């Protein structure tokens, strides 16, 4: 006798599949509620990778800011040492170029690097010996003059980019004579200067401090001046400059009062716009006039650009 075979219950399979889908949705919801996505900023050292032993990089920033996104548990476990930032100088040419700042993290995802582009200059490293001369700064008591200065040692070693080393005329020590009316001894900082008397802050002097016995003084003046971004070149087609911000916006200079009287503002080194197609932050050196000492020698320039949409309007025939 034939038995009737009951039809397959398709509804039961559908119910099982829907239960699995709902379970997955609930799991994702619970995970997002309990362990949501978050972002954290890290200030990390900037490292030069694959730089030739006889090469150096001018004005390389000490650190950059890196933003990392991930689940709350991932971000909470991260330390500064887990995030790295670097520039790859493999086959880098001698001279000024624009470099991408790269970053990596032990967990999570890199979402932003600031600055992400840097205009840097590479050169061959060189070393030589140089004699020291003294330069007076500060305000002494009225009527004080200097008859002699004796420095120990009187010769130092200078190290830096080959082209810059060739431009060094001498090394000076800046001796502060403020509030002195008698002979005194002090430890002064040694600084390299070029043939025009301009301070070469990128040249390393060893030893950096020199013991100086002072007997003559001449007063110099100090004033603060605004800083201007020296923009050079032209943005790529389709982009326009919307804003330029300089930090700090002014610099304190020390020099002869007559020299300071001829200064109205200080410009940065030329900022080449030709290859800039996105908003960037650049650390730029300042162009300090001859025979002038500066409180700072570089600033952060924020350049904001935007893409200009083409005009698609058609003239009415």
């Amino acid at each position: 006798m034939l038995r009737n075979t009951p039809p397959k219950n398709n509804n039961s399979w559908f119910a099982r599949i829907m239960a699995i889908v709902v379970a997955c949705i609930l799991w994702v919801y619970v995970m997002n509620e309990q362990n949501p996505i978050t972002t954290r900023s890290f200030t990390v050292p900037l490292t030069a990778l694959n730089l030739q032993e006889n090469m150096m990089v001018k004005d390389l920033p000490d650190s950059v800011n890196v933003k990392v996104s991930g689940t709350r548990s991932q971000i909470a476990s991260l330390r500064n040492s887990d995030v790295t930032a670097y520039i790859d100088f493999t086959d880098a040419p001698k001279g000024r170029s624009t470099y991408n700042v790269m970053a990596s993290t032990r967990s999570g995802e890199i979402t932003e690097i600031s600055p992400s582009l840097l205009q840097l200059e590479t050169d061959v490293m060189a070393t030589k010996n140089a004699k020291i001369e003294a330069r007076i700064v500060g305000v002494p008591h009225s009527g004080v003059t200097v008859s002699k200065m004796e420095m120990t040692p009187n010769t130092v070693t200078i190290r830096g980019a080959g082209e810059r080393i060739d431009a060094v005329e001498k090394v000076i020590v800046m001796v502060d004579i403020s509030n002195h009316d008698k002979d005194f001894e002090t430890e002064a900082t040694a600084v390299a200067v070029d043939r025009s008397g301009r301070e070469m802050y990128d040249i390393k002097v060893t030893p950096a401090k020199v013991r100086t016995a002072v007997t003559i003084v001449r007063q110099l003046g100090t004033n603060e001046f605004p800083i201007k971004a020296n923009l050079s070149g032209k943005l790529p087609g389709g982009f326009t400059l919307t804003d330029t911000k300089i930090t700090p916006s002014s610099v304190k200079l020390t020099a002869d009062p007559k020299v300071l009287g001829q200064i109205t503002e200080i410009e940065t080194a030329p900022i080449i716009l030709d290859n800039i197609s996105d908003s960037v932050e650049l650390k730029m050196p300042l162009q300090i006039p001859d025979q002038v000492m500066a409180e700072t020698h570089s600033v952060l320039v924020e350049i904001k650009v935007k893409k200009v949409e083409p005009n698609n309007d058609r003239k009415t025939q």
Side-chain angles (χ1 to χ4, degrees):
M1 181 177 179
L2 297 175
R3 295 181 179 180
N4 292 329
T5 302
K8 295 181 178 179
N9 191 345
N10 293 329
N11 289 336
S12 65
W13 282 104
F14 178 77
R16 294 174 184 175
I17 294 172
M18 289 304 298
I20 294 173
V21 172
V22 171
C24 292
I25 294 174
L26 289 175
W27 182 83
V28 171
Y29 172 77
V30 171
M31 289 301 295
N32 284 336
E33 285 295 315
Q34 299 299 321
N35 198 17
I37 299 297
T38 186
T39 300
R40 180 180 169 191
S41 294
F42 296 85
T43 299
V44 298
L46 180 59
T47 305
L49 295 184
N50 301 319
L51 185 67
Q52 299 180 45
E53 290 184 3
N54 65 334
M55 298 289 288
M56 66 163 293
V57 183
K58 301 178 183 177
D59 303 316
L60 182 69
D62 294 330
S63 61
V64 294
N65 184 265
V66 179
K67 289 185 179 179
V68 181
S69 291
T71 61
R72 182 164 58 190
S73 59
Q74 286 179 318
I75 298 301
S77 67
L78 281 180
R79 301 292 181 265
N80 263 45
S81 58
D82 297 324
V83 182
T84 59
Y86 60 91
I87 295 177
D88 189 351
F89 288 97
T90 301
D91 299 325
K94 178 181 176 181
R96 181 170 288 274
S97 299
T98 301
Y99 296 91
N100 290 314
V101 180
M102 311 297 290
S104 62
T105 177
R106 178 177 58 81
S107 61
E109 179 183 354
I110 304 296
T111 58
E112 183 179 335
I113 305 172
S114 179
S116 58
L117 287 175
L118 288 172
Q119 288 187 349
L120 300 170
E121 186 174 351
T122 60
D123 200 350
V124 178
M125 189 76 70
T127 302
K128 77 174 185 180
N129 294 329
K131 292 185 177 181
I132 307 174
E133 294 184 12
R135 179 170 295 181
I136 309 303
V137 297
V139 180
H141 285 290
S142 176
V144 173
T145 60
V146 174
S147 62
K148 185 174 61 173
M149 282 193 176
E150 294 182 354
M151 292 162 290
T152 307
N154 59 11
T155 301
V156 293
T157 300
I158 56 176
R159 185 171 184 266
E163 184 177 324
R164 295 287 286 165
I165 289 293
D166 291 339
V168 175
E169 173 70 11
K170 57 188 175 182
V171 176
I172 63 171
V173 290
M174 297 175 289
V175 182
D176 187 358
I177 59 172
S178 300
N179 302 320
H180 286 285
D181 58 0
K182 296 179 181 179
D183 294 348
F184 67 97
E185 290 190 2
T186 185
E187 194 174 57
T189 301
V191 180
V193 296
D194 62 15
R195 293 173 180 82
S196 300
R198 185 185 293 110
E199 183 178 356
M200 304 175 70
Y201 64 92
D202 55 331
I203 299 297
K204 183 178 180 180
V205 181
T206 305
K209 299 286 186 178
V210 175
R211 195 69 186 173
T212 309
V214 182
T215 49
I216 287 188
V217 168
R218 192 174 79 85
Q219 180 180 345
L220 297 177
T222 300
N223 206 349
E224 193 163 353
F225 297 89
I227 299 173
K228 177 183 177 183
N230 183 6
L231 302 181
S232 174
K234 185 178 180 181
L235 290 172
F239 291 89
T240 184
L241 181 66
T242 60
D243 190 28
T244 301
K245 181 181 177 182
I246 303 175
T247 306
S249 59
S250 62
V251 59
K252 187 176 293 185
L253 303 180
T254 298
D256 188 287
K258 292 182 180 179
V259 175
L260 293 179
Q262 299 174 356
I263 300 173
T264 57
E265 62 184 13
I266 297 298
E267 290 189 342
T268 67
I271 301 174
I272 304 171
L273 300 177
D274 297 3
N275 297 323
I276 296 179
S277 58
D278 197 1
S279 296
V280 296
E281 288 183 341
L282 303 172
K283 185 176 181 180
M284 300 299 300
L286 298 177
Q287 299 189 80
I288 306 300
D290 298 344
Q291 301 178 355
V292 175
M293 295 294 170
E295 184 181 49
T296 185
H297 300 90
S298 63
V299 293
L300 188 65
V301 181
E302 182 181 2
I303 299 176
K304 294 184 178 180
V305 302
K306 71 175 182 178
K307 190 173 182 61
V308 180
E309 297 296 332
N311 188 359
N312 295 323
D313 294 338
R314 297 181 178 177
K315 295 182 179 179
T316 304
Q317 300 292 334

